[in-house]
């Protein structure tokens, strides 16, 4: 079983990623970061998901602000709480600490992969404190960036846009990086049919997930007139636990820090017919969405035959 640390900002899709990871990996710990909502809320949401799962995975809180500038959040998509539309679960869990960077440095081992599905602030601080950290872990699987369209801006994806300087440090760090950007995650869409399967399954996990899908569908209906939402963050888990479901290519990825229109864009070297710059990441281009959904639905108690 893969050993993972999940660095996250739950967030609806982060919550699904946490459930999936606990089903298919040994989740050593969870570190939280400011992103979809302020740090106090993303941390509370991470704790709540562990309570739902009945696991004692340590949750350590991390950075409340990006390396440069002010925090940005995604309340329009995820609600002020980061988990809008979801019933809160009462529990007694508390954090295992508030220094995610020290935690990341301490637990580093050669068989641990960090799955980073929020802004990359905690990871950048870890690299600043100990540049050898990236060589002491197996690698980093990132949900972030894009080879084409953005979402926070025309060309920048939210997790990178929320802390571009941190993302640049991570991509320049020499870590073994897998990048699941929007070009990939847009192939992995929820649907009302999947939400119905979750409702039919009628377990605590499935009901929680159904509330997530329904909430996202309502938001997306308002934004783009369709009841479907890209399920971004689980893709970065699948890239490690089910790599055969994704197609990746080695590519050079750099983060634009200065552009007036392009700050936070991941600039991916996709030139053909000439020598590309040396790759620093495996960039995911395709996912077998049908098979990947079966894996995710099973982790949510709504696999074939479970209802
Ligand atoms: C990413 O941004 C967040 O809103 C999601 O949780 C995901 O990690 C998608 O751009
Ligand atoms: Ca996220």
């Amino acid at each position: 079983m893969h050993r993972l640390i999940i660095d996250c900002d739950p967030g609806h899709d982060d919550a699904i990623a946490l459930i999936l990871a606990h089903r298919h990996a040994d989740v050593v710990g969870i570190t939280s970061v400011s992103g979809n909502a302020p740090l106090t809320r993303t941390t509370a949401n991470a704790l709540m998901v562990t309570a739902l799962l009945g696991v004692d995975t340590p949750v350590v809180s991390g950075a409340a602000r990006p390396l440069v500038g002010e925090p940005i959040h995604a309340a329009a998509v995820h609600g002020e709480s980061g988990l809008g539309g979801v019933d809160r679960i009462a529990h007694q869990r508390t954090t295992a600490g508030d220094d995610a960077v020290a935690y990341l440095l301490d637990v580093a081992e050669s068989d641990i992969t960090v799955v980073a599905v929020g802004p990359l602030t905690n990871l950048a601080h870890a690299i600043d404190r100990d540049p050898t950290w990236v060589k002491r872990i197996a690698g980093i699987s990132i949900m972030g960036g894009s080879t084409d369209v953005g979402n926070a801006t025309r060309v920048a994806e939210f997790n990178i846009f929320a802390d571009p300087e941190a993302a640049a440090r991570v991509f320049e760090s020499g870590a073994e990086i897998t990048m699941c950007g929007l070009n990939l995650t847009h192939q992995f869409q929820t649907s009302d049919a999947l939400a119905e399967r979750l409702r039919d399954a009628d377990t605590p996990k499935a009901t929680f997930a159904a509330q997530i899908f329904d909430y996202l569908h309502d938001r997306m209906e308002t934004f783009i007139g369709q009841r479907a939402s890209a399920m971004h963050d689980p893709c970065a888990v699948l890239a490690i636990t089910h790599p055969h479901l994704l197609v990746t290519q080695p590519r050079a990825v750099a983060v634009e820090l200065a552009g007036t229109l392009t700050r936070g864009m991941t600039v991916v070297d996709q030139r053909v017919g000439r020598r590309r710059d040396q790759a620093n990441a495996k960039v995911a281009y395709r996912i077998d969405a049908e098979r990947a959904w079966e894996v995710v639905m099973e982790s949510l108690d709504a696999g074939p035959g479970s209802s």
Side-chain angles (χ1 to χ4, degrees):
M1 229 183 198
H2 288 93
R3 298 175 75 211
L4 305 180
I5 295 171
I6 315 286
D7 185 78
C8 57
D9 62 336
H12 295 86
D13 54 332
D14 303 72
I16 302 293
L18 286 169
I19 296 172
L20 174 69
H22 279 86
R23 171 72 180 89
H24 286 286
D26 173 8
V27 182
V28 174
I30 298 168
T31 48
S32 60
V33 66
S34 166
N36 287 322
L39 180 69
T40 49
R41 294 194 159 162
T42 58
T43 306
N45 292 341
L47 283 166
M48 192 175 80
V49 174
T50 62
L52 168 77
L53 295 175
V55 295
D56 58 5
T57 311
V59 175
V60 183
S61 65
R65 49 189 314 111
L67 301 192
V68 175
E70 293 305 311
I72 62 164
H73 306 303
V77 178
H78 296 275
E80 295 292 337
S81 74
L83 275 180
V86 170
D87 292 339
R88 305 299 302 180
I89 298 161
H91 66 86
Q92 303 297 320
R93 295 216 70 212
T94 55
T95 60
D98 63 1
D99 191 345
V101 178
Y103 176 78
L104 288 167
L105 295 173
D106 272 2
V107 297
E109 282 191 52
S110 58
D111 64 342
I112 289 184
T113 299
V114 177
V115 176
V117 294
L120 294 167
T121 320
N122 290 336
L123 278 62
H125 283 304
I127 292 163
D128 274 357
R129 238 186 258 180
D130 177 6
T132 71
W133 174 68
V134 296
K135 297 297 177 197
R136 297 195 284 116
I137 57 174
I140 303 172
S141 181
I142 295 172
M143 190 284 126
S146 180
T147 63
D148 44 47
V149 71
N151 57 4
T153 73
R154 295 176 200 183
V155 294
E157 181 279 330
F158 176 81
N159 288 338
I160 307 298
F161 186 70
D163 196 343
E165 280 72 18
R169 249 169 253 199
V170 172
F171 276 101
E172 289 163 8
S173 67
E176 290 290 328
I177 293 174
T178 304
M179 173 181 131
C180 293
L182 296 176
N183 59 294
L184 180 89
T185 64
H186 284 167
Q187 298 165 39
F188 196 49
Q189 297 276 338
T190 60
S191 66
D192 275 329
L194 291 169
E196 199 175 323
R197 262 174 71 180
L198 291 166
R199 274 191 298 275
D200 287 349
D202 196 26
T203 69
K205 257 198 288 184
T207 301
F208 177 79
Q211 290 176 347
I212 285 178
F213 283 37
D214 288 343
Y215 181 83
L216 290 175
H217 290 168
D218 290 348
R219 302 309 303 139
M220 289 304 138
E221 196 157 32
T222 311
F223 290 148
I224 50 174
Q226 68 173 42
R227 292 189 63 78
S229 172
M231 190 42 72
H232 308 283
D233 292 345
C235 295
V237 176
L238 291 168
I240 304 303
T241 59
H242 296 74
H244 53 286
L245 297 181
L246 282 79
V247 176
T248 64
Q249 299 290 345
R251 292 285 184 263
V253 180
V255 179
E256 175 61 62
L257 300 178
T260 50
L261 289 174
T262 54
R263 178 169 160 79
M265 175 182 181
T266 45
V267 181
V268 182
D269 192 347
Q270 303 187 102
R271 288 175 288 185
V272 288
R274 55 189 291 184
R275 199 160 65 88
R276 293 192 182 104
D277 291 337
Q278 197 184 349
N280 59 347
K282 286 191 285 179
V283 173
Y285 280 91
R286 284 206 309 278
I287 183 166
D288 182 338
E290 201 174 322
R291 288 172 68 200
W293 268 121
E294 289 315 314
V295 173
V296 174
M297 292 299 277
E298 192 275 340
S299 78
L300 301 173
D301 294 342
S306 57
S307 62

